[in-house]
Amino acid sequence: MPPAELSQLQNALLTWFVEHQRDLPWRKNYPAYGVWISEMMLQQTRVATVLDYYDRWMKALPSIPSVAAADEATILKLWEGLGYYARARNIHRAAKQICEQHSGEFPNDYDAIRQLPGIGPYTAGAIASIAFEQDRPVVDGNVIRVLCRLLNLDADPKAGSTQKKLWQVATDWLPSGHARNFNQGLMELGATVCHVQQPSCLLCPIQPHCQAYVHQTTETVPRRTQRKAPTPVTKAVLVLVCENQVLLRRPEQGLMQGLWTFPETLVKEEEPLVELQAEWQLRNRPNFQLQTSWPTLTHAYTTFLATLHPFYCTLTSIQADFPLEAEEQWHPLQSLPKLAMAKAHGHLRQRLLNQNNQDSP
Ligand code: SF4
């Protein structure tokens, strides 16, 4: 793009951002801690969803040392429902690292930011430019869409060569000294005007510079890649209650690491669920009664779609020798709301608590 046109584009975007930016809590004085937490929460998640989580998080953990000092259960409970829990665990690890290596102050050196767990080039660029006003580019999903359309770049946006080109463009087009607003302007435009479908081109401040608008290719650029259909899996879930206690498990690794779940087991296609329930009973767990099977529920994960068949069962008394399987524990029913649970299991918790309230005299 010729320098004079680039300058017009930069000015138009900067002016538009100042006038049209959404009023978001982390934009008040741009504290590095707040910008960091918001960026971590916003990965794969919409602003509208993040707002409540951000507010709760900041009230509970107002500083980086408070995050470092918190236990993992507190961190996961504050994150409960946001998904992609590795982000929360990385924040926890990074806060400890910041306290050990940077006296609890978020580092402003780009290389030091990149050393923190869970921070890749996008997040580091966002923190460096937004919190510290450094001339660092950002390329996220919104920026990719805006840049591809401005350039009318009909290429696979996930391809390495496209990514390289877009990072280069984001670097070359960055107006020195204005990275905070320019980067946010690109992202904000992508989120609120340059939509995936039917972008609001007539409201767009940089429309005169947009090649996709000129060539009427905004519906096909950027190219959409076909997502692989998630693999269906079926699971049986045991909701076992005894003497106001419920059996839970907390996996130490894997997708559900650190989150509480009801015990669950994969069901093979050919395995009738009724046999499965018998199998549970035969696992040396005497005296437990199937009360009812609850309606199934489905939950989509990134790569698979789970159908859960919950079985509500009771046990007359917990014998001292009741065999617990790995990672299982009995928990008082009244403590359930305080535990961080995997999302689908959180729905089952609510069902159990509702039922318990109805059953109580
Ligand atoms: Fe996006 Fe339309 Fe603006 Fe081009 S003119 S950047 S397609 S909103």
Side-chain angles (χ1 to χ4, degrees):
M1 185 176 292
E5 186 180 355
L6 177 59
S7 174
Q8 285 171 5
L9 182 154
Q10 291 165 333
N11 288 335
L13 187 66
L14 289 169
T15 305
W16 174 84
F17 178 70
V18 169
E19 287 173 3
H20 292 88
Q21 62 179 298
R22 289 167 293 180
D23 182 17
L24 302 175
W26 48 89
R27 286 183 175 159
K28 291 190 175 62
N29 303 323
Y30 293 106
Y33 172 49
V35 171
W36 171 43
I37 297 301
S38 69
E39 286 298 334
M40 295 297 285
M41 287 184 171
L42 285 165
Q43 290 167 20
Q44 321 276 351
T45 314
R46 292 172 168 277
V47 166
T49 307
V50 162
L51 286 173
D52 280 350
Y53 281 93
Y54 181 85
D55 188 47
R56 255 199 316 270
W57 180 284
M58 286 299 164
K59 281 188 181 127
L61 305 171
S63 65
I64 294 175
S66 66
V67 178
D71 55 26
E72 189 180 86
T74 302
I75 299 282
L76 292 176
K77 184 65 188 168
L78 287 165
W79 205 268
E80 186 184 40
L82 263 184
Y84 301 99
Y85 289 86
R87 294 179 293 171
R89 284 190 288 272
N90 278 332
I91 290 175
H92 201 198
R93 285 168 54 216
K96 289 179 184 171
Q97 191 170 316
I98 293 169
C99 287
E100 282 161 18
Q101 298 176 1
H102 305 284
S103 313
E105 292 288 325
F106 202 95
N108 63 6
D109 175 71
Y110 181 81
D111 293 329
I113 297 174
R114 281 289 272 121
Q115 299 291 318
L116 297 171
I119 296 198
Y122 163 75
T123 310
I127 296 168
S129 61
I130 297 172
F132 298 117
E133 299 192 80
Q134 294 172 11
D135 288 345
R136 293 280 177 180
V138 294
V139 175
D140 71 346
N142 284 321
V143 175
I144 288 171
R145 188 163 59 259
V146 174
L147 292 184
C148 280
R149 284 175 173 163
L150 283 170
L151 298 164
N152 198 22
L153 187 64
D154 184 14
D156 175 3
K158 292 208 172 112
S161 55
T162 318
Q163 288 281 321
K164 201 170 159 202
K165 182 174 173 78
L166 294 174
W167 275 98
Q168 191 57 55
V169 170
T171 306
D172 295 344
W173 287 7
L174 198 65
S176 183
H178 299 281
R180 171 185 283 172
N181 282 359
F182 187 77
N183 285 345
Q184 289 192 97
L186 282 176
M187 293 191 273
E188 193 86 343
L189 192 78
T192 62
V193 176
C194 192
H195 308 291
V196 176
Q197 286 170 329
Q198 299 181 335
S200 306
C201 300
L202 296 181
L203 301 175
C204 178
I206 52 176
Q207 182 224 85
H209 314 285
C210 180
Q211 290 303 309
Y213 181 75
V214 170
H215 296 282
Q216 300 185 3
T217 53
T218 56
E219 291 303 319
T220 54
V221 172
R223 204 181 287 174
R224 282 179 218 153
T225 43
Q226 208 82 64
R227 272 212 190 150
K228 226 175 122 194
T231 311
V233 296
T234 305
K235 293 179 176 187
V237 184
L238 174 65
V239 181
L240 180 58
V241 173
C242 179
E243 298 171 343
N244 272 328
Q245 303 215 57
V246 59
L247 188 65
L248 297 179
R249 79 179 271 262
R250 181 161 61 171
E252 283 167 12
Q253 51 196 351
L255 198 61
M256 312 277 197
Q257 185 190 341
L259 298 171
W260 291 99
T261 68
F262 297 98
E264 62 176 24
T265 184
L266 268 177
V267 181
K268 295 184 205 101
E269 252 175 56
E270 67 278 11
E271 191 169 26
L273 288 169
V274 66
E275 281 184 20
L276 189 88
Q277 194 255 330
E279 182 191 313
W280 264 326
Q281 283 183 317
L282 288 172
R283 277 190 209 163
N284 299 321
R285 297 185 190 231
N287 304 329
F288 95 58
Q289 299 292 322
L290 171 67
Q291 298 296 340
T292 178
S293 48
W294 284 346
T296 57
L297 69 159
T298 54
H299 187 68
Y301 296 86
T302 313
T303 55
F304 63 92
L305 181 69
T307 301
L308 305 183
H309 294 269
F311 291 96
Y312 174 61
C313 305
T314 54
L315 193 66
T316 34
S317 67
I318 303 175
Q319 309 290 337
D321 58 353
F322 182 85
L324 290 174
E325 294 194 351
E327 302 165 340
E328 285 182 352
Q329 277 180 30
W330 288 104
H331 270 273
L333 271 172
Q334 67 267 27
S335 75
L336 272 185
K338 295 193 196 120
L339 303 178
M341 296 193 81
K343 197 160 190 175
H345 292 258
H347 292 308
L348 296 177
R349 163 178 61 192
Q350 200 49 50
R351 202 178 277 177
L352 178 61
L353 292 174
N354 291 347
Q355 173 172 306
N356 203 50
N357 285 342
Q358 282 167 9
D359 292 349
S360 315

